[in-house]
């Protein structure tokens, strides 16, 4: 048989200290798409699984050294996609419970018939294909979940062009706080300013000096109020301007 033909076969590892069991698997499965490899104990089986790929493992439950359930636990911990079938000549409730808890695919009871061997090998190899696909897809799902939200979602466009996104909330808050005062300032300052301009521009023949002084006297509180309201916000505006300018200077550096 060529090496290419061997690669196309499903590789089955039979772990049993009795060589007759391995020969039985080889006699039944050879020529039916399987390549049977044997191991005498758990240590040899784990070494072979670490060195080569297999599609299914059949292991006896009682062997010198490591028992079959421990072998199954070690294999499932290292290669969870690899089906393990327990072959037991000691069918006890406790043994089967331990085997199921270890995650084995099936438990076969000796003596084994050719049909049992063939059917169990076919089911195990089929399960190997399904579990391999599931495990292969798992890293992609984990990687997708691990993507930071900033990378998964499209970047938000800044609200103001040329303004750093971090300053947008601050500028919005400043606008909300200043808008009422700006309206009050316009309500007080604009009429007062126009009145003063009109008063000064009038010919002296129409108003006496006394009347002009009285008008200025009544206009002065409104101008003072406008000054008091405006100055703090003018100062804040100057500070904000220098802060924004500093940020842009640092970004351009």
């Amino acid at each position: 048989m060529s090496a290419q033909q061997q690669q196309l076969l499903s590789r089955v590892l039979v772990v049993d200290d009795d060589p007759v069991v391995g020969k039985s698997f080889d006699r039944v499965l050879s020529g039916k798409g399987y390549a049977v490899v044997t191991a005498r104990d758990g240590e040899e089986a784990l070494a072979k699984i670490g060195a080569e790929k297999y599609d299914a493992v059949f292991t006896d439950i009682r062997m010198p050294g490591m028992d079959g359930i421990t072998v199954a636990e070690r294999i499932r911990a290292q290669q969870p996609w690899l089906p393990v079938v327990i072959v037991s000549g000691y069918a006890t409730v406790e043994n089967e419970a331990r085997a199921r808890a270890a995650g084995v695919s099936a438990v076969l009871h000796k003596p084994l018939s050719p049909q049992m061997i063939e059917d169990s090998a076919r089911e195990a190899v089929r399960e190997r294909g399904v579990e391999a696909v599931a495990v292969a897809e798992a890293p992609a799902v984990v990687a997708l979940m691990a993507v930071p939200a900033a990378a998964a979602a499209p970047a938000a466009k800044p609200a103001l062009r040329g303004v750093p996104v971090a300053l947008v909330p601050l500028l919005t808050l400043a606008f909300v706080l200043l808008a009422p005062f700006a309206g009050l300032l316009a309500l007080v300052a604009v009429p007062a300013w126009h009145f003063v301009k009109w008063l000064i521009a009038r010919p002296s023949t129409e108003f006496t000096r006394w009347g002009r002084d009285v008008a200025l006297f009544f206009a002065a509180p409104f101008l003072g109020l406008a000054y008091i309201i405006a100055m703090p916000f003018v100062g804040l505006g100057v500070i904000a301007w220098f802060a924004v300018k500093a940020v842009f200077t640092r970004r351009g550096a």
Side-chain angles (χ1 to χ4, degrees):
M1 183 181 298
S2 65
Q4 184 177 4
Q5 289 175 327
Q6 291 180 353
Q7 290 178 356
L8 295 177
L9 299 178
S10 297
R11 294 175 59 83
V12 175
L13 178 63
V14 179
V15 189
D16 201 306
D17 57 326
D18 184 358
V20 175
V21 176
K23 291 179 180 179
S24 298
F25 272 83
D26 185 64
R27 183 174 60 254
V28 173
L29 299 179
S30 293
K32 297 182 179 180
Y34 300 92
V36 177
V37 181
T38 59
R40 293 169 297 180
D41 53 37
E43 294 294 341
E44 183 181 357
L46 294 175
K48 288 187 175 182
I49 290 173
E52 298 177 325
K53 293 182 179 180
Y54 292 90
D55 297 291
V57 178
F58 291 82
T59 177
D60 190 14
I61 197 169
R62 285 193 179 183
M63 296 179 295
M66 191 183 306
D67 65 13
I69 296 178
T70 303
V71 173
E73 292 173 343
R74 296 277 297 274
I75 292 174
R76 297 293 291 178
Q78 297 175 7
Q79 300 184 26
W81 59 86
L82 182 57
V84 181
V85 178
I86 292 291
V87 180
S88 174
Y90 305 91
T92 65
V93 176
E94 181 182 0
N95 285 342
E96 291 210 18
R98 287 184 59 207
R100 299 297 181 185
V104 301
S105 300
V107 177
L108 298 182
H109 302 289
K110 294 179 180 179
L112 302 178
S113 67
Q115 191 65 43
M116 290 172 59
I117 294 176
E118 185 176 354
D119 291 345
S120 60
R122 181 172 59 253
E123 291 298 324
V125 171
R126 181 183 303 169
E127 180 183 346
R128 161 72 169 84
V130 173
E131 291 198 11
V133 171
V135 173
E137 291 177 348
V141 176
V142 174
L144 181 61
M145 294 176 63
V147 173
K157 295 182 179 180
L160 299 177
R161 181 175 297 178
V163 177
V165 176
L167 292 180
V168 172
L170 180 62
L171 295 177
T172 303
L173 178 62
F175 175 80
V176 172
L177 293 177
L178 294 180
F181 295 100
L184 180 60
L185 176 63
L187 181 64
V188 173
V190 173
W193 172 246
H194 282 287
F195 176 73
V196 171
K197 285 178 60 178
W198 174 80
L199 187 62
I200 295 175
R202 300 299 297 174
S204 57
T205 55
E206 297 185 14
F207 280 95
T208 63
R209 183 179 298 274
W210 178 84
R212 182 175 299 178
D213 290 341
V214 171
L216 290 174
F217 173 80
F218 284 104
F222 294 98
L223 295 176
L225 178 60
Y227 177 83
I228 293 172
I229 294 175
M231 283 304 100
F233 298 105
V234 171
L236 289 176
V238 172
I239 294 173
W241 164 251
F242 280 108
V244 173
K245 185 178 181 180
V247 170
F248 278 109
T249 303
R250 182 176 299 177
R251 292 179 62 187

